[in-house]
Structures are given as C-alpha cells and as structure tokens.
C-alpha cells in the first residue's frame, strides 16, 4: 500500500530545487526531505481514500489523487527556509488552497493511443505543480503570509476537499 502513494516525490523535487537556490548542504537537504516525507506519509495514510481488500489489492474512493503531497513539499521547503512552527503551519495552510485539484483518475487512464483519439498525456500525480505549490506556500509564509493553521485538525474541511468523510486512524490500517 505504501508504494502506491509515491510518498517522497514532491518532497524530493521541492527539496532539490530549493536547496540548490539556497545553497543548502546535503545534510540540510536530506533532513528537509525526511520531514516532508514524514508529513506526506502521515497525511496520505490518514486519508480514507482507499482500503485494502481481501485479495491484496486496494479499493479506491470514486475520486482520488495525490495532490495532498503538496503538504510534504511545503514542509520540506519550510525546513530548508528555517521557518518557525507558526510559519510552517501557515505554509501548510497555504498549501491546501494552492494544491492542484483532484480529478477522476479512472476516467483519465486511457491507452496511449487509440483509433479514436490520443490519450491524455498528463499523469494523475502532478509532480511539477505539487512541489511548486509547496515551495510557493513556504516562501509566502517566510515573508509573513497569514494562512489557516488548523487545516489538518480533525473536523476541518481538509478531509472533505480530498474526498474523505473523515481522517483514518492508525487503527483503521
């Protein structure tokens, strides 16, 4: 199940881009990516978007995607920018409103080419805009941007915006 999540991609891409810009050390980069990975994994696993079935597979929600990886990218960027806890929370809040939107993955998984029309060439996991949104959110927070800081709290609208009726607990896994 964890492999299905592509957990590190947005954090690694955001970290590489921002670390180069800031002149960060390799140690600082790895620490920032680890923070982003932890946030991405926790958010991804908390979403009740898919559950294991009895056959070793997964049952997915009607609409799902990986836009929530933007939070890991924002956390990675926040670490590299040395944001304080309030700024980091604001970066995560801004990441919510700038994360790429979900779309129906199943409708967009057509063969590469058919007689009727070419397949759509974008992928369900938006590896460019999720890191970009995370970096931008952290940069805004570093300059005093104020955003909602409780977006990951139970009962927030975050869960509904990611097609979940609730946060999954560790007991659900």
């Amino acid at each position: 199940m964890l492999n299905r999540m592509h957990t590190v991609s947005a954090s690694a891409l955001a970290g590489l881009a921002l670390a180069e810009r800031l002149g960060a050390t390799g140690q600082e980069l790895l620490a920032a990516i680890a923070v982003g990975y932890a946030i991405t994994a926790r958010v991804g696993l908390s979403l009740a978007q898919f559950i294991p079935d009895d056959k070793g597979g997964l049952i997915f929600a009607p609409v799902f995607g990986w836009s929530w990886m933007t939070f890991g990218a924002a956390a990675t960027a926040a670490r590299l920018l040395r944001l304080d806890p309030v700024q980091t929370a604001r970066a995560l809040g801004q990441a919510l409103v700038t994360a790429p939107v979900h779309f129906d993955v199943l409708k967009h998984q057509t063969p590469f080419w058919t007689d009727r029309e070419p397949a759509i060439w974008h992928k369900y996991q938006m590896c460019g805009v999720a890191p970009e949104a995370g970096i931008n959110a952290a940069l805004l927070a570093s300059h005093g941007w104020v955003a909602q800081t409780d977006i990951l709290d139970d009962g927030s609208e975050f869960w509904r915006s990611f097609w979940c009726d609730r946060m999954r607990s560790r007991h659900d896994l």
Side-chain angles (χ1 to χ4, degrees):
M1 182 164 78
L2 296 180
N3 186 42
R4 178 77 175 174
M5 288 175 39
H6 307 300
T7 309
V8 77
S9 55
S11 299
L13 292 170
L16 288 168
L18 194 54
E20 182 177 7
R21 177 178 177 257
L22 297 173
T25 67
Q27 185 175 10
E28 291 168 327
L29 170 62
L30 290 175
I33 290 173
V35 167
Y37 178 89
I39 295 294
T40 303
R42 289 172 187 261
V43 170
L45 288 172
S46 70
L47 296 172
Q49 290 186 316
F50 50 86
I51 57 170
D53 64 16
D54 295 337
K55 301 172 188 167
L58 298 172
I59 300 168
F60 290 90
V63 176
F64 64 95
W66 284 264
S67 298
W68 42 266
M69 291 189 318
T70 303
F71 298 109
T76 297
R79 172 72 184 239
L80 286 167
L81 292 167
R82 297 185 173 100
L83 300 187
D84 65 33
V86 172
Q87 291 173 310
T88 300
R90 288 176 175 169
L92 294 174
Q94 181 62 23
L96 172 63
V97 299
T98 57
V101 297
H102 280 15
F103 61 95
D104 190 342
V105 174
L106 299 177
K107 285 184 181 175
H108 294 89
Q109 290 182 341
T110 58
F112 183 68
W113 190 267
T114 66
D115 291 336
R116 296 177 313 168
E117 60 186 82
I120 298 166
W121 287 13
H122 62 75
K123 188 173 178 175
Y124 57 85
Q125 178 194 357
M126 300 178 188
C127 290
V129 294
E132 178 185 10
I135 290 170
N136 287 338
L139 286 170
L140 284 167
S142 76
H143 291 286
W145 187 263
V146 177
Q148 188 177 351
T149 59
D150 62 350
I151 55 127
L152 296 176
D153 292 351
D154 194 18
S156 79
E157 291 299 309
F158 164 79
W159 309 105
R160 285 190 17 193
S161 68
F162 282 83
W163 203 265
C164 298
D165 60 351
R166 63 182 175 82
M167 174 181 17
R168 182 181 3 210
S169 75
R170 62 187 169 99
H171 303 291
D172 294 331
L173 298 175

